[in-house]
Amino acid sequence: MLLEQPGSIGGLRLKNRVVMAPMGTNYSTTDGLSTARDVAYYAERARGGVGAIMTEAMVVTQHARPHHNSLCCYHDRFIPGLASIVEAIKEHDCAVFGQLNHRGALLRRHVLNMEPVGPSDWVNPNTGDAVRALRVAEIHEIQRLFVDAARRLWRAGYDGVEIHAANGYLFQQFFTRRINQRTDQYGGAIENRMRLLLETIDRVKEALPQLRLIVRLSASEFHPAGYTQEEIVQLAQAVERAGVAAIDLSGGSNESPQLSKFCIQPPSFPRGCLGPVAKPIKAAVSIPVLLAGRVVEPQDAEDLLQSGAADFVSLGRALYVDAHWCAKAFGKVDAPIRRCIACNVCFERLTLEKDVSCVQNPMVGTEFETLEHAEPQLSAPTTRPARVLVLGAGVAGIEAARVLAGRGHQVEVWERAQRPGGQIHLAVAAPDKQEVWPVWTDRWQQLEKLGVRVRTGIDADEAAIRGFAPDHVMVATGSKPRKPPLSLQRLASGIPVFHAWELFEHTEKIPAGALVTIVGGGMVGAELADLLRLQDCRIQLLEMTSVFASGMARNNRLELLERLEAAGVRLISRCRIESAIADRLHVQVADGAPAELEIGQVLVFATGPEPDLSVLPALEATGVPYTRIGDSQAPGDFLAAIRDAWMAALALDAERASPAAPHTPSRAATAPPIRSLA
């Protein structure tokens, strides 16, 4: 496997061809200082076997911070904390590079009151913020700030520095003619539009001649007025002549969701999607090329390397999901890789100024993300096994069973339905949602390997529970549809009424070409509309708030709404339904006058679920202690369900390990020695 072979960047040997991409975390302090959480997060990925880590983008000035809790290096006070990150990474034979960035026009006024600046006066299409053109003296000052920041990273022990000149940030803004309208030495001809980056490279190299320098570029803007392939090749060649050690390729621009999706790709994008646009650049230079873009499994990375599109793979979201991706890929840890599903919850959380998390790995950045907790079957089993009954074979139930069985507890899972999976079958039914399957399959395969018995079509009554004689019960019975939020007594008898859940797997219940009204424009309602449009249904989607598909990451959400609008789906927001009479809904839209909407042939409700607690009376009659997890505790998403299950299982394991102190949370973080690491 080429992926496992050593490589070299600027004379520095890397043990394999996997470089962790620079991804934000918001794990730092509000002052930009690194924390123990930063150190643990990076150290676990170094332990997981990557050849090099590119730490997240750090700003070169206090006036250009992207997030409230982003890492910074604009002052010497940041050096000790950054050095602690470097030291923790290098303990695992892993190189470390630091990315430096200035967002320029993409700075947001509502985040720390940062002023957007760029090559020219402009308006950020994503925020509506006015952008001020930089004066030449300010340009030179920014270049000096990059030199000073690079020097701090060098003093902190970094092996090299990457200048972020991609994804729509300051250097790319100067390079693209559609944004740069200057008429001085930094605008116009391509030589002038390259000048800011090339001068910055020269200044950094002059100040730090031994520093390995990498430059990140967007292989394409994916914009009709963006720079051409010939121009980006010319820039890459100029960067090489300037003496950089490698080029790191991404794509798109974070100035808008329409372009950001080429950087943070939704699940509709193919694996290795940037390979075709990267190959001409790779062919035009002789220095190593790193490449990102929907690399989920080792074969995706291997295909990019074998195709000649790159020399190294820049692995991003896949390492949010599984810190031990490399160790598993190279056979050093006997456990399957958890796979990224491109839901982009990670990116959305950063945009909302939250700390990063992951649907597949909700323990990212915590002490419970270590291999000992993530893969408990690799550790010595508990000496006090419990007999545990898990009620519900959905994602939460299976995750709890996986963790408990991995720790050596005696676990059995009961499912009332005739098949396991719960809501996963609904989640994968909509278009472009097949990538969600690993949320289920990754856990189900491990459960099978552990030999856990899963019984389907079984009702958990009091006698059955007593007969099993559990020490503890995990209630993972999920949720059920809420009743419609309005009376349907006066609805025309010929109009069938469904809940959205009924239709995801049985769209045949809806005649092709039918007029369908969906009440509830959240993610479930919007995805059902996306599915029904494939049957040429005429659809109107009603939402009480001003936002459709809320809770969905914006890149994915925008792509979904674009499809709906292109298919002629009628989107009616701020719609309050007063009543349903005959074949009409009586509504008020925004502040308008009361109106009537024709329902059509079918009325569907996608107005949310509620916990299914029908098993509780029988369970409570037994007196067996229990824990509610997932939707049975509070309806939410897969992230919440998996987090609940994982932590509840660890809590039960800790309680069994220390019966004298069952509520001591610190014991959950104490695991026996690992036994399966090579």
Side-chain angles (χ1 to χ4, degrees):
M1 180 183 283
L2 183 57
L3 188 65
E4 196 175 0
Q5 300 303 310
S8 177
I9 294 178
L12 176 68
R13 182 184 182 275
L14 274 59
K15 63 187 176 185
N16 57 52
R17 302 301 181 93
V18 181
V19 176
M20 178 179 168
M23 302 177 293
T25 61
N26 266 349
Y27 292 163
S28 309
T29 70
T30 53
D31 293 324
L33 294 164
S34 62
T35 64
R37 192 178 186 190
D38 287 309
V39 173
Y41 164 78
Y42 284 113
E44 196 64 30
R45 281 149 184 82
R47 180 192 179 200
V50 295
I53 286 177
M54 186 81 68
T55 56
E56 62 203 76
M58 287 178 275
V59 296
V60 299
T61 168
Q62 62 182 323
H63 302 297
R65 292 191 64 184
H67 297 292
H68 286 289
N69 292 80
S70 55
L71 273 177
C72 297
C73 62
Y74 58 79
H75 190 277
D76 285 359
R77 67 174 175 268
F78 300 112
I79 295 174
L82 295 173
S84 67
I85 292 176
V86 170
E87 182 181 3
I89 291 172
K90 289 191 173 183
E91 285 180 3
H92 301 283
D93 186 26
C94 180
V96 56
F97 296 86
Q99 188 186 74
L100 298 178
N101 189 25
H102 192 302
R103 295 172 69 99
L106 301 196
L107 289 167
R108 296 173 290 166
R109 293 188 187 278
H110 69 279
V111 179
L112 301 176
N113 197 30
M114 299 290 104
E115 181 191 23
V117 293
S120 306
D121 292 336
W122 191 52
V123 174
N124 183 331
N126 197 31
T127 64
D129 285 340
V131 178
R132 178 180 64 80
L134 286 163
R135 298 182 293 273
V136 170
E138 292 175 306
I139 290 173
H140 293 163
E141 172 63 11
I142 288 173
Q143 292 173 329
R144 184 189 65 78
L145 292 171
F146 269 88
V147 173
D148 290 346
R151 183 179 289 109
R152 294 184 188 104
L153 295 187
W154 183 250
R155 290 173 59 191
Y158 278 82
D159 294 306
V161 168
E162 176 171 275
I163 295 176
H164 197 345
N167 303 137
Y169 300 131
L170 184 65
F171 291 100
Q172 184 167 319
Q173 292 158 22
F174 269 80
F175 182 61
T176 180
R177 195 188 299 270
R178 65 187 179 86
I179 297 175
N180 186 346
Q181 302 296 315
R182 299 176 77 99
T183 57
D184 62 4
Q185 68 268 37
Y186 290 100
I190 188 171
E191 292 78 13
N192 290 345
R193 288 182 281 120
M194 294 192 296
R195 190 182 304 277
L196 172 64
L197 176 58
L198 296 179
E199 285 184 348
T200 304
I201 293 171
D202 288 343
R203 292 188 179 204
V204 172
K205 288 190 68 62
E206 181 181 4
L208 300 160
Q210 294 182 322
L211 178 70
R212 298 174 187 89
L213 201 56
I214 301 175
V215 171
R216 175 165 256 204
L217 303 173
S218 281
S220 173
E221 289 184 271
F222 296 99
H223 189 289
Y227 49 74
T228 65
Q229 183 181 91
E230 291 74 19
E231 287 179 314
I232 190 63
V233 165
Q234 191 172 342
L235 177 60
Q237 292 173 328
V239 162
E240 179 180 17
R241 288 193 299 272
V244 303
I247 293 173
D248 183 5
L249 294 177
S250 181
S253 168
N254 284 323
E255 71 197 61
S256 69
Q258 292 91 337
L259 298 180
S260 179
K261 67 183 179 182
F262 295 100
C263 172
I264 313 292
Q265 301 90 7
S268 59
F269 279 53
R271 304 279 183 90
C273 57
L274 296 180
V277 292
K279 286 187 75 171
I281 302 170
K282 168 76 172 70
V285 298
S286 59
I287 54 176
V289 170
L290 291 67
L291 180 61
R294 285 282 281 139
V295 178
V296 179
E297 299 178 87
Q299 191 59 51
D300 305 329
E302 187 70 15
D303 289 345
L304 286 175
L305 297 178
Q306 295 287 356
S307 72
D311 301 287
F312 294 86
V313 172
S314 184
L315 203 64
R317 290 169 291 174
L319 287 172
Y320 279 148
V321 179
D322 198 330
H324 313 101
W325 191 96
C326 284
K328 293 176 179 180
F330 303 150
K332 296 180 180 179
V333 170
D334 184 18
I337 292 172
R338 287 194 303 274
R339 290 167 288 177
C340 174
I341 63 173
C343 64
N344 288 330
V345 166
C346 51
F347 180 59
E348 186 71 6
R349 287 180 65 90
L350 290 174
T351 305
L352 296 174
E353 292 303 317
K354 297 180 179 180
D355 58 346
V356 81
S357 193
C358 172
V359 167
Q360 280 277 62
N361 180 21
M363 296 301 111
V364 60
T366 74
E367 65 269 35
F368 301 103
E369 191 192 15
T370 62
L371 189 62
E372 292 83 354
H373 290 104
E375 305 292 351
Q377 75 278 7
L378 302 181
S379 300
T382 179
T383 58
R384 294 176 55 87
R387 186 169 172 82
V388 182
L389 177 61
V390 178
L391 298 179
V395 170
I398 293 302
E399 176 68 356
R402 179 190 74 85
V403 174
L404 287 166
R407 291 290 301 122
H409 297 282
Q410 301 168 19
V411 184
E412 187 165 299
V413 182
W414 293 359
E415 169 58 48
R416 182 170 52 193
Q418 295 300 319
R419 65 176 179 177
Q423 293 184 39
I424 190 66
H425 303 290
L426 309 179
V428 300
D432 296 324
K433 294 299 290 291
Q434 289 299 303
E435 290 286 309
V436 177
W437 266 119
V439 170
W440 169 256
T441 56
D442 289 354
R443 291 166 174 81
W444 180 254
Q445 289 165 6
Q446 289 190 63
L447 205 67
E448 289 184 317
K449 189 173 182 179
L450 289 165
V452 175
R453 186 184 185 192
V454 179
R455 300 174 61 190
T456 58
I458 180 172
D459 282 319
D461 58 23
E462 180 182 349
I465 296 171
R466 288 185 183 277
F468 185 79
D471 297 311
H472 198 93
V473 175
M474 290 287 180
V475 179
T477 47
S479 55
K480 59 185 179 181
R482 290 185 184 274
K483 294 180 179 179
L486 70 157
S487 172
L488 301 177
Q489 292 182 347
R490 300 169 69 185
L491 182 69
S493 59
I495 298 178
V497 178
F498 298 98
H499 188 276
W501 287 8
E502 299 176 71
L503 299 178
F504 274 111
E505 294 187 276
H506 299 286
T507 55
E508 72 277 1
K509 294 182 178 181
I510 307 298
L515 173 58
V516 181
T517 296
I518 302 175
V519 177
M523 185 164 65
V524 171
E527 289 190 338
L528 179 61
D530 195 27
L531 185 61
L532 293 180
R533 71 175 172 82
L534 300 178
Q535 296 186 190
D536 296 323
C537 291
R538 294 169 294 139
I539 305 163
Q540 51 188 8
L541 186 61
L542 315 183
E543 168 56 32
M544 182 178 295
T545 72
S546 60
V547 179
F548 288 94
S550 60
M552 203 173 193
R554 62 197 61 197
N555 286 7
N556 302 30
R557 172 180 168 271
L558 181 72
E559 189 182 48
L560 169 60
L561 295 181
E562 286 176 342
R563 287 201 302 266
L564 296 183
E565 291 173 350
V569 174
R570 187 182 182 192
L571 303 174
I572 307 175
S573 61
R574 300 175 63 193
C575 180
R576 187 172 70 249
I577 303 174
E578 305 292 348
S579 60
I581 302 175
D583 62 351
R584 297 285 192 277
L585 290 178
H586 293 250
V587 303
Q588 182 171 357
V589 179
D591 298 324
E596 295 182 7
L597 286 177
E598 179 186 0
I599 294 173
Q601 283 77 54
V602 182
L603 179 60
V604 183
F605 287 93
T607 46
E610 60 186 6
D612 184 350
L613 303 177
S614 56
V615 75
L616 288 192
L619 177 56
E620 290 176 343
T622 68
V624 176
Y626 66 88
T627 303
R628 287 162 52 187
I629 58 176
D631 277 8
S632 68
Q633 170 65 20
D637 54 19
F638 284 136
L639 187 156
I642 294 169
R643 180 193 58 211
D644 277 5
W646 193 337
M647 294 305 293
L650 289 179
L652 178 58
D653 180 63
E655 181 178 342
R656 294 291 295 185
S658 181
H663 301 297
T664 305
S666 62
R667 292 301 299 272
T670 303
I674 196 79
R675 67 173 185 225
S676 296
L677 269 175

